[in-house]
Short mmCIF file of all heavy atoms in Angstrom, two decimals:
data_model
loop_
_atom_site.label_atom_id
_atom_site.label_comp_id
_atom_site.label_asym_id
_atom_site.label_seq_id
_atom_site.Cartn_x
_atom_site.Cartn_y
_atom_site.Cartn_z
N ILE A 482 -0.07 24.18 7.97
CA ILE A 482 1.18 24.56 7.33
C ILE A 482 2.32 23.86 8.05
O ILE A 482 2.19 23.49 9.22
CB ILE A 482 1.42 26.10 7.34
CG1 ILE A 482 1.37 26.64 8.78
CG2 ILE A 482 0.40 26.83 6.48
CD1 ILE A 482 1.81 28.10 8.88
N TYR A 483 3.43 23.64 7.34
CA TYR A 483 4.54 22.95 7.98
C TYR A 483 5.87 23.41 7.42
O TYR A 483 5.96 23.92 6.31
CB TYR A 483 4.40 21.43 7.83
CG TYR A 483 4.41 20.96 6.40
CD1 TYR A 483 5.60 20.67 5.75
CD2 TYR A 483 3.23 20.82 5.70
CE1 TYR A 483 5.62 20.25 4.43
CE2 TYR A 483 3.23 20.40 4.38
CZ TYR A 483 4.43 20.12 3.75
OH TYR A 483 4.43 19.71 2.44
N ALA A 484 6.91 23.19 8.22
CA ALA A 484 8.28 23.39 7.78
C ALA A 484 9.07 22.18 8.26
O ALA A 484 8.88 21.71 9.39
CB ALA A 484 8.85 24.67 8.38
N HIS A 485 9.92 21.68 7.39
CA HIS A 485 10.67 20.46 7.71
C HIS A 485 12.07 20.60 7.15
O HIS A 485 12.25 21.16 6.08
CB HIS A 485 9.93 19.27 7.08
CG HIS A 485 10.73 18.00 7.08
ND1 HIS A 485 10.90 17.25 8.21
CD2 HIS A 485 11.39 17.36 6.09
CE1 HIS A 485 11.65 16.18 7.89
NE2 HIS A 485 11.96 16.23 6.63
N ASP A 486 13.05 20.12 7.90
CA ASP A 486 14.42 20.20 7.38
C ASP A 486 15.23 19.02 7.88
O ASP A 486 15.08 18.59 9.03
CB ASP A 486 15.08 21.51 7.87
CG ASP A 486 16.49 21.68 7.31
OD1 ASP A 486 16.72 21.27 6.14
OD2 ASP A 486 17.36 22.21 8.02
N ILE A 487 16.05 18.44 7.00
CA ILE A 487 17.08 17.52 7.47
C ILE A 487 18.41 18.05 6.95
O ILE A 487 18.49 18.59 5.85
CB ILE A 487 16.84 16.05 7.06
CG1 ILE A 487 16.64 15.90 5.54
CG2 ILE A 487 15.66 15.45 7.81
CD1 ILE A 487 16.61 14.45 5.09
N TYR A 488 19.44 17.93 7.77
CA TYR A 488 20.71 18.60 7.49
C TYR A 488 21.85 17.62 7.71
O TYR A 488 22.03 17.09 8.80
CB TYR A 488 20.83 19.82 8.42
CG TYR A 488 22.12 20.59 8.33
CD1 TYR A 488 22.79 20.75 7.12
CD2 TYR A 488 22.65 21.19 9.47
CE1 TYR A 488 23.97 21.47 7.06
CE2 TYR A 488 23.83 21.92 9.42
CZ TYR A 488 24.49 22.05 8.21
OH TYR A 488 25.66 22.76 8.15
N ASN A 489 22.63 17.39 6.66
CA ASN A 489 23.73 16.43 6.71
C ASN A 489 25.00 17.14 7.19
O ASN A 489 26.00 17.21 6.49
CB ASN A 489 23.92 15.84 5.30
CG ASN A 489 24.90 14.67 5.26
OD1 ASN A 489 25.33 14.28 4.19
ND2 ASN A 489 25.26 14.12 6.42
N TYR A 490 24.95 17.67 8.41
CA TYR A 490 26.05 18.53 8.89
C TYR A 490 27.36 17.78 9.09
O TYR A 490 28.43 18.37 9.13
CB TYR A 490 25.63 19.24 10.18
CG TYR A 490 25.63 18.35 11.41
CD1 TYR A 490 26.75 18.26 12.23
CD2 TYR A 490 24.50 17.60 11.73
CE1 TYR A 490 26.76 17.44 13.34
CE2 TYR A 490 24.50 16.77 12.83
CZ TYR A 490 25.62 16.68 13.63
OH TYR A 490 25.64 15.85 14.71
N GLY A 491 27.27 16.44 9.21
CA GLY A 491 28.48 15.67 9.48
C GLY A 491 29.24 15.24 8.25
O GLY A 491 30.28 14.58 8.36
N ASN A 492 28.74 15.55 7.06
CA ASN A 492 29.38 15.08 5.84
C ASN A 492 30.82 15.59 5.73
O ASN A 492 31.10 16.77 5.96
CB ASN A 492 28.57 15.52 4.62
CG ASN A 492 28.82 14.63 3.42
OD1 ASN A 492 29.97 14.36 3.07
ND2 ASN A 492 27.75 14.15 2.82
N ASP A 493 31.74 14.67 5.38
CA ASP A 493 33.15 15.04 5.24
C ASP A 493 33.36 16.06 4.12
O ASP A 493 34.27 16.87 4.17
CB ASP A 493 34.00 13.80 4.93
CG ASP A 493 34.06 12.87 6.13
OD1 ASP A 493 33.86 13.38 7.27
OD2 ASP A 493 34.30 11.67 5.96
N ASP A 494 32.52 15.98 3.12
CA ASP A 494 32.61 16.90 1.98
C ASP A 494 31.76 18.14 2.28
O ASP A 494 30.52 18.05 2.37
CB ASP A 494 32.09 16.16 0.74
CG ASP A 494 32.18 17.01 -0.51
OD1 ASP A 494 32.45 18.22 -0.39
OD2 ASP A 494 31.97 16.46 -1.61
N ASP A 495 32.42 19.27 2.45
CA ASP A 495 31.71 20.51 2.81
C ASP A 495 30.57 20.83 1.85
O ASP A 495 29.53 21.33 2.24
CB ASP A 495 32.68 21.71 2.83
CG ASP A 495 33.57 21.65 4.06
OD1 ASP A 495 33.32 20.77 4.91
OD2 ASP A 495 34.51 22.47 4.15
N LEU A 496 30.79 20.52 0.56
CA LEU A 496 29.78 20.84 -0.46
C LEU A 496 28.51 20.01 -0.29
O LEU A 496 27.45 20.34 -0.79
CB LEU A 496 30.35 20.63 -1.86
CG LEU A 496 31.42 21.63 -2.30
CD1 LEU A 496 32.04 21.22 -3.61
CD2 LEU A 496 30.82 23.03 -2.40
N LYS A 497 28.68 18.88 0.39
CA LYS A 497 27.51 18.00 0.57
C LYS A 497 26.81 18.22 1.91
O LYS A 497 25.88 17.49 2.25
CB LYS A 497 27.93 16.53 0.41
CG LYS A 497 28.24 16.20 -1.04
CD LYS A 497 28.55 14.74 -1.23
CE LYS A 497 28.76 14.45 -2.71
NZ LYS A 497 29.44 13.17 -2.91
N GLN A 498 27.29 19.20 2.66
CA GLN A 498 26.58 19.53 3.91
C GLN A 498 25.37 20.38 3.55
O GLN A 498 25.37 21.59 3.67
CB GLN A 498 27.52 20.28 4.85
CG GLN A 498 28.63 19.39 5.39
CD GLN A 498 29.51 20.11 6.38
OE1 GLN A 498 29.26 21.26 6.73
NE2 GLN A 498 30.55 19.45 6.85
N ILE A 499 24.33 19.69 3.10
CA ILE A 499 23.17 20.38 2.54
C ILE A 499 21.97 20.30 3.48
O ILE A 499 21.75 19.28 4.13
CB ILE A 499 22.79 19.75 1.18
CG1 ILE A 499 23.95 19.94 0.19
CG2 ILE A 499 21.52 20.35 0.61
CD1 ILE A 499 23.67 19.39 -1.19
N HIS A 500 21.22 21.39 3.52
CA HIS A 500 19.90 21.38 4.16
C HIS A 500 18.87 20.91 3.14
O HIS A 500 18.77 21.51 2.08
CB HIS A 500 19.51 22.80 4.60
CG HIS A 500 20.19 23.27 5.83
ND1 HIS A 500 19.74 22.96 7.09
CD2 HIS A 500 21.30 24.03 6.01
CE1 HIS A 500 20.53 23.52 7.99
NE2 HIS A 500 21.50 24.18 7.36
N TYR A 501 18.14 19.86 3.44
CA TYR A 501 17.02 19.49 2.58
C TYR A 501 15.76 20.01 3.26
O TYR A 501 15.14 19.32 4.06
CB TYR A 501 16.96 17.98 2.39
CG TYR A 501 18.17 17.44 1.65
CD1 TYR A 501 19.27 16.96 2.34
CD2 TYR A 501 18.20 17.44 0.26
CE1 TYR A 501 20.39 16.49 1.68
CE2 TYR A 501 19.32 16.97 -0.42
CZ TYR A 501 20.41 16.50 0.30
OH TYR A 501 21.52 16.04 -0.36
N TYR A 502 15.44 21.27 2.95
CA TYR A 502 14.30 21.90 3.63
C TYR A 502 13.05 21.79 2.77
O TYR A 502 13.12 21.66 1.55
CB TYR A 502 14.61 23.37 3.92
CG TYR A 502 15.09 24.13 2.71
CD1 TYR A 502 14.21 24.52 1.72
CD2 TYR A 502 16.45 24.43 2.55
CE1 TYR A 502 14.65 25.19 0.59
CE2 TYR A 502 16.90 25.10 1.42
CZ TYR A 502 15.99 25.47 0.45
OH TYR A 502 16.43 26.12 -0.68
N ASN A 503 11.91 21.82 3.40
CA ASN A 503 10.63 21.84 2.71
C ASN A 503 9.64 22.67 3.51
O ASN A 503 9.57 22.55 4.73
CB ASN A 503 10.07 20.41 2.57
CG ASN A 503 10.68 19.69 1.40
OD1 ASN A 503 10.40 20.01 0.25
ND2 ASN A 503 11.53 18.72 1.68
N PHE A 504 8.89 23.51 2.79
CA PHE A 504 7.81 24.27 3.42
C PHE A 504 6.54 23.96 2.65
O PHE A 504 6.59 23.82 1.44
CB PHE A 504 8.05 25.79 3.30
CG PHE A 504 9.43 26.19 3.68
CD1 PHE A 504 10.41 26.37 2.71
CD2 PHE A 504 9.76 26.38 5.02
CE1 PHE A 504 11.71 26.73 3.06
CE2 PHE A 504 11.04 26.74 5.36
CZ PHE A 504 12.01 26.92 4.40
N GLY A 505 5.45 23.89 3.35
CA GLY A 505 4.24 23.58 2.59
C GLY A 505 2.98 23.81 3.37
O GLY A 505 2.99 24.17 4.56
N SER A 506 1.88 23.57 2.68
CA SER A 506 0.57 23.76 3.26
C SER A 506 -0.39 22.74 2.67
O SER A 506 -0.28 22.37 1.50
CB SER A 506 0.08 25.18 2.96
OG SER A 506 -1.21 25.34 3.47
N ASN A 507 -1.31 22.27 3.50
CA ASN A 507 -2.34 21.35 3.03
C ASN A 507 -3.70 21.92 3.32
O ASN A 507 -3.96 22.44 4.41
CB ASN A 507 -2.22 20.00 3.75
CG ASN A 507 -1.10 19.16 3.17
OD1 ASN A 507 -1.02 18.99 1.96
ND2 ASN A 507 -0.23 18.68 4.04
#
Side-chain angles (χ1 to χ4, degrees):
Chain A
I482 56 171
Y483 61 88
H485 167 76
D486 183 36
I487 54 172
Y488 177 35
N489 189 194
Y490 75 93
N492 204 311
D493 291 336
D494 182 350
D495 286 353
L496 290 173
K497 288 184 176 163
Q498 291 183 4
I499 297 181
H500 283 276
Y501 295 94
Y502 51 76
N503 278 289
F504 313 96
S506 177
N507 282 310

